[in-house]
Amino acid sequence: LGISKDVKNSLDTSISYVSRDVDAYFAKTLKFFGRSYLTLTMIKKQDLADKNKAYDMSGVDVEWLESRVALDNVTAKRDTLTPNDPGIDPAIPVLLRSAYGAGTVNAEPDADGYRRRVHLLSKYNGKYYGQLSFVALREWLGNPAIEITNQAITLKGAKFKGVTRDIRIPRTQDGSVLIKWPKKQFVEYKNISAWDLIGAKKLEADIVNNLKAMQDSGFLNYWSADSDGANPYDEWSQAEYIKNEILDKGENQEDAVTVKAYRATRLEFLRKMEMFLDPGYEGRVIADCPDDATREYVRTTFASVRKDFDRLMAMRNGVSGKVANALCIIGVDATSMTDVDLITFQERFPNVGTYATVANMILSDEFLDDTSPAISILIALILSLAVGLGIKHLDTKKSLFAGLAALAVSVLSLMAFFMITKRYVGVIVPFASVSATFISLSAITFLTTIREKSFLRSAFSRYLSPAVINEIIADPSKLNLGGEKREMTAIFTDIRGFSTIS
């Protein structure tokens, strides 16, 4: 009868999973957790087939979005860079209304395919919406006021680790924020495998089933309720009751049906399980066993439950060490997925890591910034002028070394500026300008030299010896009017008696 009852309960549970409205159940769990954030996708003008056509928002409760999801306590001062989008595609309404908030997930790569930036703010219908990790992090920092300018997004009075301060996030020339990628692969990020959660749930289910069997076999009769209170199975049942009541009806402070009470009861269940699996309880049960077969059954049962419980606690400790007081981001990084991008340190980087990186930038107050294109143009002009003046009077070999040195100095100086100030100056314009100046002047010098040498050979070949012409070509300064004044000694020689002999 007991086996048939267990089979029936198992079938009822399985059928309930199949027939359950998973969206409704997910919505309940989001509400139960209390601090969950879902996604918004901002519709961009380039996403519309007709760029002049408005996006159909008739199926979206815009009023609810503006009252519950749009950012509050925002002050904008001459903000002209925040994207003003034609529409919003929110998460499923039944889920979104149960979440604590929501944030945008748009992040397009640059023209060369690299992902370098993200917009922390977007606008629709005059309201501001924040990027997903920015929204969650703002709440975690005490919901500070937001001040927006074209130069920066400032969290006023953010509270972090007991310190209250302003966090200034610089904006680039297009209003986005440059991402400061850490120098490592995604697998090196602090992450948790989904199996650590799924496996823990399965292990706990096995433990509870065995615990129920142990109770039916009378093992829990040895639990001392006077000194230790309710036994482990009763604690687990109470925790499940509180959880289901909250999922169905919400919290009830008067009856102590709260998430806090649920967590406390869960911890009590784990504590008492550890007590029950102590060899002392096992020894007391074995002491009353009538035969060796029964004693072996008790030992085997305790050993199996103890092994599963140790694995469960190892999983729980591993997870809690990473998620305690942390902002947790749930996403997929399977090798077969397509939600990946090219970044500085990895060719196929799972985009879920973008949210962790952005949050880490804000918490560590380490940002990158760029400069106006006019700065690059000005630097290009200065370097080009310096190169032009520097190699103008040099010969071909020296001008070559001077040009290469100028290129190296220009690139290294801009890199040093970036390393010191974390402000990016576009190197393409200065590098291309210096290169073009060097190549152009070198080519002009080379062609001029060839033409001059050809002219000298043609003009003096009838009047001077080739050796003299080569000397003039090697040093054109020797070719000047009026000759050359020198102090010289002449010696005249003759053969004595040559006239008589001849």
Side-chain angles (χ1 to χ4, degrees):
L1 181 62
I3 295 176
S4 298
K5 184 177 180 181
D6 289 341
V7 171
K8 178 180 180 299
N9 290 337
S10 177
L11 287 174
D12 288 342
T13 301
S14 299
I15 291 171
S16 70
Y17 284 138
V18 173
S19 62
R20 180 169 62 192
D21 184 338
V22 292
D23 286 343
Y25 183 77
F26 186 25
K28 289 179 180 180
T29 60
L30 290 170
K31 195 169 184 178
F32 178 86
F33 181 70
R35 283 292 187 274
S36 55
Y37 293 81
L38 295 184
T39 64
L40 303 172
T41 301
M42 304 304 293
I43 304 301
K44 303 295 181 180
K45 291 180 181 178
Q46 58 266 30
D47 298 332
L48 301 177
D50 183 354
K51 300 296 187 294
N52 298 319
K53 185 178 179 181
Y55 181 71
D56 183 11
M57 292 284 289
S58 59
V60 179
D61 190 343
V62 176
E63 185 177 348
W64 186 87
L65 285 177
E66 292 180 349
S67 63
R68 298 292 301 276
V69 178
L71 297 173
D72 59 354
N73 201 8
V74 175
T75 303
K77 298 180 179 180
R78 297 180 297 278
D79 171 30
T80 61
L81 297 180
T82 299
N84 200 352
D85 298 315
I88 302 176
D89 184 14
I92 300 174
V94 67
L95 302 181
L96 190 59
R97 290 176 180 271
S98 297
Y100 191 81
T104 64
V105 293
N106 302 74
E108 297 299 324
D110 286 351
D112 60 359
Y114 279 85
R115 173 167 291 194
R116 296 187 179 92
R117 64 193 71 235
V118 64
H119 279 279
L120 294 188
L121 297 173
S122 298
K123 288 176 71 176
Y124 171 72
N125 200 29
K127 297 289 185 179
Y128 282 91
Y129 294 85
Q131 192 260 1
L132 181 59
S133 52
F134 177 73
V135 171
L137 197 60
R138 182 201 181 191
E139 178 67 25
W140 201 36
L141 294 171
N143 200 30
I146 302 175
E147 183 178 280
I148 307 169
T149 66
N150 281 350
Q151 290 71 42
I153 301 168
T154 305
L155 297 174
K156 308 288 288 186
K159 299 174 182 177
F160 181 56
K161 293 184 177 180
V163 178
T164 300
R165 60 184 177 86
D166 292 350
I167 299 178
R168 184 182 184 277
I169 307 170
R171 305 176 80 182
T172 64
Q173 300 301 304
D174 66 351
S176 63
V177 173
L178 289 174
I179 301 174
K180 188 176 185 295
W181 298 109
K183 296 180 181 178
K184 56 185 177 182
Q185 302 286 299
F186 180 78
V187 294
E188 299 176 79
Y189 283 44
K190 184 184 289 186
N191 55 56
I192 300 169
S193 170
W195 174 246
D196 288 343
L197 307 178
I198 299 170
K201 186 174 179 62
K202 183 179 183 302
L203 272 175
E204 183 176 316
D206 293 342
I207 291 169
V208 171
N209 287 336
N210 286 328
L211 190 61
K212 179 66 170 60
M214 294 169 84
Q215 177 171 267
D216 294 340
S217 299
F219 289 12
L220 289 178
N221 292 339
Y222 292 85
W223 183 266
S224 176
D226 293 337
S227 59
D228 299 326
N231 66 48
Y233 186 77
D234 290 340
E235 292 286 0
W236 178 85
S237 300
Q238 178 64 15
E240 287 296 293
Y241 167 77
I242 295 174
K243 180 184 75 175
N244 291 328
E245 284 291 299
I246 295 174
L247 288 174
D248 291 338
K249 304 173 185 176
E251 290 188 298
N252 186 333
Q253 298 288 343
E254 185 176 343
D255 295 335
V257 179
T258 63
V259 173
K260 184 178 180 181
Y262 166 73
R263 289 174 175 165
T265 309
R266 285 273 306 163
L267 292 176
E268 193 66 7
F269 156 67
L270 296 171
R271 185 183 72 85
K272 289 183 176 180
M273 272 301 301
E274 191 171 11
M275 291 174 58
F276 180 65
L277 294 175
D278 185 89
Y281 275 103
E282 180 182 354
R284 288 164 60 186
V285 177
I286 290 176
D288 290 342
C289 291
D291 52 56
D292 290 343
T294 306
R295 283 190 285 274
E296 183 59 27
Y297 167 73
V298 171
R299 291 191 186 95
T300 302
T301 303
F302 266 93
S304 176
V305 175
R306 190 177 290 115
K307 180 180 178 181
D308 286 347
F309 184 74
D310 289 343
R311 289 174 60 198
L312 173 65
M313 294 307 294
M315 282 186 173
R316 284 181 57 88
N317 292 334
V319 171
S320 64
K322 294 179 178 179
V323 304
N325 300 316
L327 180 68
C328 302
I329 299 157
I330 301 173
V332 182
D333 68 335
T335 55
S336 60
M337 62 182 285
T338 58
D339 190 23
V340 295
D341 260 322
L342 175 65
I343 68 167
T344 309
F345 302 106
Q346 188 170 339
E347 185 175 354
R348 287 178 54 82
F349 180 82
N351 285 335
V352 65
T354 303
Y355 307 102
T357 304
V358 170
N360 184 66
M361 281 171 49
I362 297 173
L363 288 177
S364 60
D365 201 11
E366 292 185 1
F367 304 104
L368 303 178
D369 197 5
D370 65 356
T371 56
S372 170
I375 300 296
S376 293
I377 296 173
L378 180 61
I379 293 174
L381 291 174
I382 295 172
L383 290 176
S384 298
L385 182 60
V387 169
L389 294 175
I391 68 174
K392 182 178 180 181
H393 302 292
L394 298 179
D395 60 27
T396 304
K397 185 181 294 185
K398 290 181 180 179
S399 65
L400 176 62
F401 284 112
L404 294 176
L407 289 174
V409 169
S410 62
V411 173
L412 292 176
S413 60
L414 293 176
M415 289 178 61
F417 178 80
F418 172 74
M419 297 296 293
I420 295 171
T421 66
K422 302 302 180 185
R423 291 177 64 86
Y424 171 76
V425 179
V427 298
I428 298 299
V429 174
F431 185 82
S433 178
V434 171
S435 299
T437 301
F438 166 66
I439 293 172
S440 299
L441 289 178
S442 297
I444 292 172
T445 302
F446 177 76
L447 293 175
T448 301
T449 302
I450 293 296
R451 187 168 63 251
E452 288 178 350
K453 289 181 178 180
S454 177
F455 171 76
L456 290 174
R457 288 186 185 277
S458 175
F460 294 99
S461 61
R462 298 180 181 180
Y463 310 104
L464 301 175
S465 68
V468 174
I469 293 175
N470 289 335
E471 187 176 348
I472 292 174
I473 291 174
D475 185 5
S477 64
K478 292 183 177 181
L479 184 63
N480 50 33
L481 296 175
E484 181 179 348
K485 184 178 181 180
R486 289 188 181 185
E487 290 187 5
M488 303 178 67
T489 299
I491 181 172
F492 295 90
T493 63
D494 194 4
I495 300 175
R496 186 174 59 184
F498 178 76
S499 297
T500 303
I501 296 172
S502 64

